[in-house]
Amino acid sequence: MAGTPKSIISYDRDLPEIEGRDPSAEPDCYLSKVEGADEFEVIAGRRPSQMLLVNRLRDAVGAWRKAGYEGASNTTRELFRWWFFEAEGTIEPPFALYWGQREAIETLAYLVEVERASDVRTLIERFAEIRTTSVLDDAVTFETDMEGNRFAQIPRENLSPARIGLPPEGLARFAAKMATGSGKTLVMALVIVWSYFHARRELGSPLSTNFLVLAPNVIVFERLKVDFANGHVFRDKPLIPPGWSFDMKVILRGESTEPGGGGNLFVTNIDQLHANDSDWTPANAVEALLGRKPAGNAATQGRSVLDRLRNLDRLVVLNDEAHHVHDNALQWNQVLLALHRKLPHGLAAWIDFSATPRFQNGGHFPWIICDYPLAQAVEDRIVKAPMILHMVDKPGPEHVTGAEVIDKYGEWVVAGVQRLDAHAAAFKAIPGTKPVMFVMCENIPHADRIGAWLTGQSSGFGLKPEEVLVIHTDTHGEVRKADLEDLRESARDIDLATSPVRVVVSVMVLREGWDVRNVTVVLGLRPGTAEAKILPEQAVGRGLRLMRELGPEDRQVLEVLGTPGFESFVRELEGEGVCIPTKNKPPLPPITIQAVAERIAFDIAIPHTGATIRRSYFRLGDFQPAETEPAFNIGDIARSRAQHLSVEHGTVGTTHDDLVVQRQRPMLAAALVTRIVSKTETAAGLTGAFAQLYPLIRTYLARRCFGEPVDLDAETVRMFLADPLNQDRVAGLLARCLGALTAESQPLELTGSSILLSATVPYLWRRQHTVCDKTIFNYVATFNPFETQFGEFLAEQPDVLRFAALAEHFTRFWVEYLKPSGALGRYFPDWVVVQGSEGGEVNWIIETKGRVWDGTDQKDAAIRYWCEQVTDLSGDPWSYMRVDQSVFKPERIASFGDLVAVVAGHNAESDQQLLFEPGNDS
């Protein structure tokens, strides 16, 4: 569109925009993608919300706004007049709320003052909008179980109703759905100011002057601390009208300050809230009445956060990044509910803030009262516009081991660095800007290898070690405690021009709190088959915030590239209205591979057999814990008990003290054993074996795991076993032992008719391919240049009568094998070849290997066993050969028979089992 802002990075066409869009005004149109095209159109009206309450609430609040906030208190009217009309121009740059921020505080005030909403059920009954075509499912129904827990049955289109737990009756709980980068923290500050003055100035106010701002982790707390410490946000922004007295005591995580008689704002993270009561039970009736006795010198140590909160009269809870509240059984959630019951007037309000306020099953909270989606934030240009760059035409790798990372993901990494370099060149003329690339990996070994490769000389990227920051997170996206301090420093400094960091490599994704503005490239190295543990908005969320150095005339873009699975994952945002253009070359159309009638002479029949391995759960009783190798030494326990810190003077560097920081007390032994048993069962691929495994593994942990017996109830032992890495080590060792013990080879049986390649169902293929004679298929499916070369070699050999690429599962042939982890897997060989010889036809199963990975020997053994058994059963010779790329020299080989001889010679020299021919032990 003419007159729209231009991107610093040059693209072949302008990004879709709504010309003249003012982010402080109510939206009156929105962008929509044209079905079946990479084009966008402008739709009149406001984008409808998919949230249960929002559309009807928008209408009600809009009418209330037009009526001059009829029914609102004088406090609310005066604050709204100041915030929305008079505060602008009082500071530089000019202060103006985004529409989403204004609508959030307006909606909350409307519900409290006009609707007097204090119960989620009443809220749903009043404003729920059911979007379903079913005549029967057109209303929300409610039920209460025998313990008094309340639920709502919410109809869904073409799905069974969602059964959602509701807060207790009388608890005013609301949620604000606001896109990353749209200013949730400022809305929290508005809520605090409004509630504070309302409670002070309005007789009978249901609100409070006491507040608890909760963060899900320390990283989010650090971000909140910047705004709330010493009341910065209230002084830096014109939130307090002139002449109004705002007496707010801010108490941060770790501070022992006692609450005052005016207003109190506690800012902490969830762990600090519930850690106080996590392992304590009252020892007697006095403790049950008065609470826990303070440890040490109470005068200097101070009371816990909970103890101080419990003495307040009423409290407003503001929960940041509230997608962490999806489980009502969470301990901290129970602590807040207990606070609501204990305080004289309970929680005045509980307000959740999140870009993705969802339950674990993906459903949104039914108490969402306002919706400012990412699509609107992009159109308002208050965040970067995500754009997918499709630069690598290859399938996403699956089941990638640590040793395969560079080989499997290298092309995407190269593409990402190329884009980063292009951004660096484009932003070079703008002072203070420094583009950063964010790389998302699947696990710690992947992140470490990618980080090392980026700075290694072999890659040729020219990145220095200090320019690449590797951050490890756990499976929930939380930063490891050992990395917290480094991350805090880098999060503060990475946007500075003086920071050397250009690439951040992370395990999974830093879900929230790490708000670096200079990220302009997100690279997703996740296999397409991986179960998504994050939401699409979280995947791009860390790169959405705008660079401060650019002005409104510059359109800021976040380039997203990665595996096909990651691209598709991010493109799910289009379902929520986000217009995501795809640039550069589109993916090549797939080819259809099928058997051809004119080539029926090259058909091959492969014997169809039963399983070669089965699980024998009876063998679990043969497991001998005392004879299994230890996982650790007894001395490992003591070394892990505490973390030693040296205290140094910040200026002169002299050491003043050595501290020992003890870890928090771990869970009980039974719970730890349960977790290790579950991990072992999963790693070994065992099902329904928990009851059998539990006593065996408990015995192993108590008597053998550390080389000598230990007391599992001892706190030092529990602390050691609470470490997930230690749990994984034990589970991995036991899984290998138990997997091998219960894997029972069994004689093969020929079952039914053979697998005819001519009966293969036509399939789509997006990988490499070639065209060859002597095969029944129109194309030869291959994965890499080596396989393509090998297929063309087979077609040229005079003693190869016919052959075929087996293309994994498409041709329906596989052999079971025991993985190194102890689990059972399916091995799909690469080729089947029929060789002509003086003694008749010889059938070959062939594996071509560019590299030998963990598990190759197990696959070799499984297919050798299959060939031996099938030869005896059918009377037809079936042989196996593994052709490594290092051995395959086609220019020196005159026939397939010559290749067999070369591999046989290498087999003898290397003492490997690369070749199996029936009746020939070589």
Side-chain angles (χ1 to χ4, degrees), residues 222-244:
E222 289 291 323
R223 185 197 67 198
L224 294 171
K225 179 180 175 181
V226 172
D227 290 310
F228 288 114
N230 297 318
H232 283 305
V233 67
F234 307 112
R235 295 197 308 269
D236 297 341
K237 303 287 186 183
L239 305 185
I240 315 300
W244 291 33

Side-chain angles (χ1 to χ4, degrees), residues 69 74-97 102 237-244:
Y69 305 115
N74 290 333
T75 299
T76 299
R77 291 172 184 269
E78 291 180 42
L79 284 174
F80 282 7
R81 183 171 59 250
W82 172 251
W83 290 336
F84 305 157
F85 307 108
E86 298 176 0
E88 185 174 357
T90 60
I91 62 172
E92 188 65 34
F95 173 83
L97 295 175
R102 172 177 174 173
K237 303 287 186 183
L239 305 185
I240 315 300
W244 291 33

Side-chain angles (χ1 to χ4, degrees), residues 126-143:
R126 173 78 170 83
F127 294 102
E129 180 184 57
I130 304 302
R131 296 171 296 276
T132 174
T133 57
S134 172
V135 177
L136 298 177
D137 297 331
D138 60 353
V140 179
T141 58
F142 302 89
E143 62 186 35

Side-chain angles (χ1 to χ4, degrees), residues 324-399:
H324 288 259
V325 305
H326 52 64
D327 187 356
N328 283 336
L330 287 176
Q331 187 176 19
W332 75 266
N333 193 67
Q334 295 301 314
V335 170
L336 287 181
L337 293 177
L339 264 178
H340 178 58
R341 293 189 297 267
K342 185 173 180 60
L343 296 181
H345 293 92
L347 298 184
W350 175 344
I351 310 170
D352 301 321
F353 292 85
S354 174
T356 54
R358 297 173 182 253
F359 294 97
Q360 200 165 19
N361 63 9
H364 286 94
F365 298 168
W367 49 84
I368 294 171
I369 62 171
C370 56
D371 182 14
Y372 188 70
L374 177 59
Q376 188 63 56
V378 172
E379 291 169 11
D380 286 348
R381 297 194 295 275
I382 65 174
V383 297
K384 298 189 185 89
M387 173 193 294
I388 293 177
L389 264 67
H390 183 82
M391 299 182 65
V392 178
D393 278 332
K394 61 185 291 188
E398 301 174 4
H399 313 300

